[in-house]
Amino acid sequence: MKKDFLCILDFGSQYSHMIARRIRNLGVDTLLCDYDTSISHILSKKPKGIILSGGPFSVYENGSPLISKKIFQLDIPILGICYGMQIISFLFGGKIEKSKFKEYGKAYFIIDHSNNNLFYGIPKKSIVWMSHFDQVKNISKKFQIIGHTSSCAIAAFSHINKEIYAVQFHPEVKNTEFGMSILKNFVFNICKCTSNWDLKNFIQNAIDKIKKRVDKGKVILGFSGGVDSFVTAYIIHKAIGNSLNCIFVDTGLLLKKEKERISILCQKMNLPIKIIDAKNRFLSRLTGVIDPEIKRKIIGEEFLSVFYKESEKIKNVKFLAQGTIYSDVIESSSKKEKLSYSIKSHHNVGGLPDPTFMKLKLIEPLKELFKDEVRKIGQKLGLPEEILYRHPFPGPGLSIRIIGEINEKKISILKEAESILLQELKNYNIYDSVSQAFIVLLPVKSVGVMGDKRTYEYAAVLRVINTEDFMTATFSHLSYDFLEKVSNRIINEVDGINRMVYDITSKPPSTIEWE
Ligand code: XMP
């Protein structure tokens, strides 16, 4: 059976992925496309509806992303959100202006047309989430205003005889009280989609697709040991068995006993992996490097050459698989760098080999999914909890947790400190209630006193955060007892650290890792 799905044209909003996720939660698949995807390509996919996302632009700015007007003649329902709304209005000859104040946050939305399909079943007054600077000031006669707020006279409009709708607020954000109902109305009442997407179908489809695509070729997978790469490996292994070659690179920047742990887990799960010891080459290239972006670049290059060497040993290898998930893509894709604001050149995408160089095609079965969706898939595949609920560990490993220059001594200090933290998170039963926890070793030494002796050692940071999607995060509110225990143990047991501090910043404005 052909699945119904919606196409989301991404104009660079931080929330585009959220729209995709919410619609998948309704049981309808989504295809997230760059805003400049050609109309013929969109049409060839036969979507039941199109959503134009928000974005950090002004329609009047030079070079701001727009779409062809032809999209409005396709006879496919369209919903514009925030910047997407402004584009629709602009392309129909409406006027958009900078408002006096940036409207950000909660607003009361009043429906002006209660019999509008988009707002079916929604109370006349409800809370919505706004995030915009520009405002639609007037609209073409082909549209009618269907909602407003106290500071935004045109907060929603619809076409008088076509299925084109637009809202200034963000229905995909949780804080919009009836956001899900609005999306539901669009997906089911307006686009007439049938709900037929679920994770079980996703797994079977992914397996079938990989089988067909790989055929008799071989696949090489950069295996990191995190949940994403385990799930990726497991799905591909189910599809093509031993034509999958999992390569685990020991960069020397892993957590204590990580290699042994991975080895045991893979054995338990019948997943063949090859461990490559590349400690020396990574470390020698990183010696003396301070700049975090250069560190990442070197690590990417080293991964690339290790992979290249390995791929040459495998006959008929045609594909490179990666455990990329959606949050990896949004923070580092080159299109996004143009559209939104580049945050770090990072994650699987930036850190792993360039497949074109290796003449390999990419397989990324989880690219559209969020961490919690990946975990649910892992659960369905029967992966142990130890894998499913493991905190994420960055590809460049401990190198980005040693600020400044890296050397063997610092790596060993950090490994010991991280190991103590992990033990205490488990002892205090905290591990599962926080999203990520680690230590950062600073390039700063300070004076301390231990056993009547003056010390002059490194300061380290404890970073523990809670987050839903790793795009935003808050520091975890941990007990003083726990903080004291971790701090005491690290200072007493790890030679080289004499001062611990706790990082109490959120993301944004900070990031999770320090680098
Ligand atoms: P930031 O520091 O950007 O981190 O707030 C968000 C999440 O991504 C992880 N992270 C990485 N993961 N390669 C990875 O695979 C990387 O280069 C990388 N940098 C950050 C980070 O640990 C957090 O979970």
Side-chain angles (χ1 to χ4, degrees), residues 296 331 344 346-348 392-396 400-401 436 470 507 511-513 515:
R296 281 176 181 284
E331 289 201 352
K344 285 173 199 167
H346 87 217
H347 296 191
N348 301 15
F393 184 70
I400 59 170
R401 294 180 182 169
Q436 201 172 3
F470 294 88
K507 173 185 179 177
T511 48
I512 296 173
E513 302 286 349
E515 310 214 13

Side-chain angles (χ1 to χ4, degrees), residues 6 24 47 55 78 125 140 148 171 174 205 216 243 281 289 319 354 399 406 451 453 471-472 500:
L6 253 65
R24 280 208 295 267
I78 293 177
K125 184 174 177 183
S140 142
H148 69 275
K174 269 196 182 147
N205 283 343
K216 297 202 164 43
S243 294
R281 57 187 294 167
V289 179
F319 298 89
D354 172 3
S399 77
I406 296 170
K453 251 177 71 189
M471 301 291 297
T472 61
M500 289 293 302

Side-chain angles (χ1 to χ4, degrees), residues 390-452:
R390 188 140 205 264
H391 292 173
F393 184 70
L398 299 181
S399 77
I400 59 170
R401 294 180 182 169
I402 296 174
I403 311 305
E405 194 176 339
I406 296 170
N407 57 39
E408 255 179 282
K409 170 87 182 137
K410 285 186 183 176
I411 295 174
S412 117
I413 291 174
L414 189 53
K415 273 189 181 180
E416 290 305 320
E418 292 245 26
S419 160
I420 291 172
L421 170 62
L422 190 65
Q423 289 162 29
E424 290 308 327
L425 287 166
K426 299 241 157 117
N427 287 345
Y428 274 74
N429 248 334
I430 290 175
Y431 187 85
D432 291 328
S433 58
V434 300
S435 310
Q436 201 172 3
F438 54 90
I439 308 285
V440 181
L441 191 66
L442 299 181
V444 173
K445 284 190 168 182
S446 71
V447 172
V449 55
M450 271 182 103
D452 291 337

Side-chain angles (χ1 to χ4, degrees), residues 264-283:
I264 293 168
L265 275 172
C266 288
Q267 250 170 25
K268 258 198 217 160
M269 290 165 49
N270 260 335
L271 197 66
I273 57 158
K274 183 170 179 185
I275 298 178
I276 312 284
D277 184 349
K279 283 197 247 18
N280 291 341
R281 57 187 294 167
F282 275 85
L283 204 64

